[in-house]
Amino acid sequence: MSGRKAKKDDDEYVDIDDATDTHENEDAQQGGYSWEEEYKRSWDVLQEDAEGRLSSVVAHLQQQMKRRRLLRDTATVQRGIIRHLFLVIDLSEAMNEKDLRPSRLELTLTYARQFVTEYFDQNPISQLGIIVIRDGVAERLTDLSGNPTDHLRALKNKRNQETSGEPSLQNALDMACASLVNVPSHGSREVLVVYGSLTTCDPGDIYDTIAQLKKEHVRVSFVGLAAEIQVCRTLCKETNGSYGVVLNEAHFKDLLFEAIPPPAVTQTRNTSNLVMMGFPTKSNDLHPSFCVCHSKLTVGGYICPRCSSKICELPTDCDVCGLTLVSSPHLARSYHHLFPVDNFIEVPWSGINSLHCFACQTAFDSSPPPGAGLESNSGRYSCPRCHNQFCVDCDIFVHEVLHNCPGCWAAGSNISTVQIHSKKQPAIQNDVMPMQGVTS
């Protein structure tokens, strides 16, 4: 069958179909056709063991995914445990894109609610505020507050989930800076922006805002949902923030939750060593009385140790005398960031010394599966200090919930850490508590 012909410049005819077949054959020989490159063949990644089973391979992949968030820098650095953070959410029309399932907006609001809960769980004496940007205007949903219920209620409100227009990054940063400028020197000033648009509609020069943020020591971090933007990269670089662009839904959550641990304190800012704090007593009166925070009649509450005013919840600042009011469990909960648990080490089959998990007493496999070498991972994770071995679930529980190694506490190997702490930080006396962490 004769193919189509085309005339070249030297009056010679060539067969177009034959030339096309030649290019297709070359593409096939180079590793596949061009239209096949967009598909990821995940089944090629799986590898069978010696008996043709996939269970061991899948279990190993699940363990790696679980421990991915645990592997972080555990060096002892100076951190501010009283944080003031504004969460800025983009509500422009770009958030209606469905490249993240079910959509950018729905996924962002879902992760934002989880972020608020986890933020106050890990930073109970910190404060958070929420700002949204749409139609070129910044709107403050919630002020800086230590009550997670108010923030969750604002995020669940249908009116606060409507998208329209273009975002204004400068207006949001100016609004956040105006609130953070009144934060005392012992508290950190942070802004976390979830940005889905590629443009910003600003009333002025945004680089003036960047200079102001840098002057006021406000740390700005970005989580981009579309692509990297130069002005956002410059803003994060100038303010010592972090900038990441999401790859998928799981990566989005990882980037967002990286802001939960308190960041290291910059050396350019003057920080306080001591701060006045009050530990109020809980009161349950027979007759209701007015609280100073909401001016409502309540039966229970907390009594300020300085001015004897009644407040509803902790932590907060007394509206009468301005004293920071916390409870001792909140303070202890925040202090674990200063002395993080060391990352556990994967134990090969050649280094096992226990048949049971030290924490939950779950039995380990006594011998490697067929086809696995002695240097492969045995499913055990060892503490580098006490050398006790744990399962992956206990490893996650120790680093995310307990924040103390049970083996170190049982052996008393953390006494040196307590002694170092007592030398570098004064103990809590009356209403005065040490403010910042220990510098390595």
Side-chain angles (χ1 to χ4, degrees), residues 38 50 53-54 65 74 150 282 300 313 316 327 353 373 379 384:
E38 60 179 315
R53 295 177 300 180
L54 297 176
M65 294 177 62
T74 58
D150 297 338
K282 188 173 179 59
E313 56 192 12
T316 185
S327 63
N353 58 15

Side-chain angles (χ1 to χ4, degrees), residues 191-203:
V191 177
L192 177 61
V193 184
V194 180
Y195 207 66
S197 177
L198 293 175
T199 60
T200 175
C201 182
D202 299 329

Side-chain angles (χ1 to χ4, degrees), residues 80-301:
I81 59 176
I82 298 183
R83 307 173 61 189
H84 299 81
L85 172 68
F86 266 108
L87 178 62
V88 180
I89 301 177
D90 182 7
L91 290 184
S92 63
E93 293 181 353
M95 296 295 289
N96 294 325
E97 297 290 338
K98 298 185 180 298
D99 50 357
L100 298 175
R101 297 298 179 183
S103 68
R104 291 182 183 178
L105 176 62
E106 295 182 17
L107 188 65
T108 299
L109 294 177
T110 300
Y111 285 164
R113 289 190 288 267
Q114 297 177 9
F115 176 83
V116 170
T117 303
E118 188 71 14
Y119 176 83
F120 284 106
D121 181 67
Q122 299 295 328
N123 306 273
I125 60 176
S126 300
Q127 295 186 359
L128 176 72
I130 301 177
I131 296 175
V132 296
I133 43 179
R134 56 189 167 192
D135 289 330
V137 179
E139 177 184 357
R140 183 187 287 109
L141 294 187
T142 57
D143 293 320
L144 287 173
S145 171
N147 185 10
T149 305
D150 297 338
H151 307 302
L152 295 176
R153 187 184 301 112
L155 290 174
K156 292 179 180 179
N157 190 352
K158 292 295 183 181
R159 180 184 174 277
N160 299 331
Q161 301 178 8
E162 299 175 354
T163 60
S164 61
E166 296 289 335
S168 177
L169 186 59
Q170 184 181 19
N171 287 334
L173 295 176
D174 288 339
M175 179 178 292
C177 185
S179 299
L180 294 174
V181 72
N182 297 321
V183 171
S185 60
H186 61 259
S188 64
R189 307 172 182 179
E190 305 171 50
V191 177
L192 177 61
V193 184
V194 180
Y195 207 66
S197 177
L198 293 175
T199 60
T200 175
C201 182
D202 299 329
D205 189 358
I206 193 173
Y207 288 96
D208 295 338
T209 302
I210 296 176
Q212 181 66 21
L213 292 170
K214 184 178 179 180
K215 177 182 177 181
E216 299 296 339
H217 304 284
V218 179
R219 186 194 305 265
V220 183
S221 300
F222 269 84
V223 177
L225 306 184
E228 182 175 315
I229 306 174
Q230 177 63 27
V231 66
C232 299
R233 170 66 67 182
T234 304
L235 178 58
C236 295
K237 182 179 179 180
E238 293 293 330
T239 59
N240 295 322
S242 61
Y243 185 35
V245 179
V246 302
L247 302 177
N248 47 46
E249 290 81 358
H251 189 230
F252 182 13
K253 186 174 183 179
D254 292 341
L255 290 178
L256 187 64
F257 277 52
E258 284 181 358
I260 290 179
V265 176
T266 58
Q267 300 297 330
T268 58
R269 185 182 177 189
N270 295 326
T271 57
S272 302
N273 293 324
L274 298 175
V275 58
M276 296 294 295
M277 276 196 171
F279 299 87
T281 57
K282 188 173 179 59
S283 173
N284 290 317
D285 301 329
L286 297 177
H287 304 286
S289 58
F290 285 97
C291 66
V292 298
C293 48
H294 302 95
S295 299
K296 295 181 180 179
L297 288 173
T298 58
V299 176

Side-chain angles (χ1 to χ4, degrees), residues 46-61:
L46 296 178
Q47 299 177 357
E48 300 178 353
D49 55 14
E51 298 182 359
R53 295 177 300 180
L54 297 176
S55 57
S56 60
V57 180
V58 173
H60 180 66
L61 293 176

Side-chain angles (χ1 to χ4, degrees), residues 30-50:
Q30 293 176 359
Y33 297 102
S34 58
W35 58 81
E36 293 180 344
E37 294 179 357
E38 60 179 315
Y39 297 99
K40 296 181 179 179
R41 310 201 313 178
S42 57
W43 53 87
D44 291 339
V45 181
L46 296 178
Q47 299 177 357
E48 300 178 353
D49 55 14

